[in-house]
Amino acid sequence: DLRSLVFGFRNSWQYPDRWARKTCQRLGVPAAVHETGSAGKADAELRARWGDPLGAFDRLMASLPAEKAQQVEVLRLFGESLRGQTSPEARVAFARTLEAVSERSSGAQAQRLRLDAAQAYLDGGDRAAARRMLAGLADEGGAPANLTAPATSTLVRLLVEEGKFEEAEQRLVAA
């Protein structure tokens, strides 16, 4: 059972990360120092760790930096903080994060992220979002077969499970 200790300071010179690590070492507890650039990012990270991953995602999206490369990095780090969580809400928040990164990426990387997002949506129980991601990948022209084939296969399975046999058959014929 790990606990969190949160310091909030206006001036970084007051208590640098060395002080926090040293203090935790003296107390005999493991330490990880996470720095954020804004109150919004700090709020998002704490919400994600304390059981409100969807609220955390919404808060994070509202506080993203303006530059696309910085947005991707912030989203990537947020996704890493969700990776080990298994609740349906955490899986959907992880999927939304992957989808947001895919929207800021291009080519095969974006396609791979959308496939991973679809799987995370399925894991979280959001079948409509998973279907949307999979249909987009399956219909995308120029996508490599190693991405469209699993997307089509998973989409067909999802449609069959939902009793949409005609649509599943159309997808199989089109593939």
Side-chain angles (χ1 to χ4, degrees):
D1 186 21
L2 296 176
R3 302 286 182 217
S4 296
L5 177 62
V6 179
F7 294 104
F9 298 101
R10 296 200 116 135
N11 299 308
S12 61
W13 54 266
Q14 287 177 318
Y15 292 98
D17 62 338
R18 292 180 314 211
W19 179 87
R21 285 191 180 98
K22 186 177 179 181
T23 301
C24 289
Q25 182 181 20
R26 287 180 178 170
L27 294 172
V29 296
V33 177
H34 302 278
E35 296 182 25
T36 63
S38 72
K41 287 185 223 170
D43 181 38
E45 187 169 324
L46 292 173
R47 284 175 186 253
R49 291 178 190 268
W50 292 346
D52 184 17
L54 292 171
F57 176 79
D58 291 340
R59 184 69 172 111
L60 183 72
M61 292 303 290
S63 65
L64 283 177
E67 187 178 316
K68 187 166 96 171
Q70 290 176 337
Q71 291 176 359
V72 169
E73 181 62 14
V74 167
L75 288 164
R76 187 190 65 74
L77 290 171
F78 180 72
E80 288 299 318
S81 73
L82 294 171
R83 196 171 287 278
Q85 297 184 34
T86 58
S87 71
E89 295 82 10
R91 299 309 300 158
V92 170
F94 183 62
R96 288 180 183 173
T97 303
L98 291 171
E99 183 176 359
V101 174
S102 78
E103 291 167 354
R104 292 157 176 80
S105 303
S106 61
Q109 179 185 17
Q111 295 163 343
R112 182 59 163 153
L113 287 163
R114 286 197 298 275
L115 183 59
D116 292 345
Q119 185 59 53
Y121 277 127
L122 277 175
D123 294 344
D126 190 341
R127 297 170 74 82
R131 188 178 330 103
R132 177 177 50 79
M133 299 301 295
L134 292 167
L137 268 173
D139 294 341
E140 193 169 313
N146 67 333
L147 290 176
T148 56
T152 301
S153 169
T154 305
L155 178 58
V156 168
R157 188 193 77 200
L158 184 62
L159 291 169
V160 168
E161 288 172 2
E162 293 175 346
K164 299 178 180 177
F165 303 113
E166 289 179 22
E167 190 177 344
E169 183 179 1
Q170 291 171 355
R171 290 285 178 180
L172 276 175
V173 170

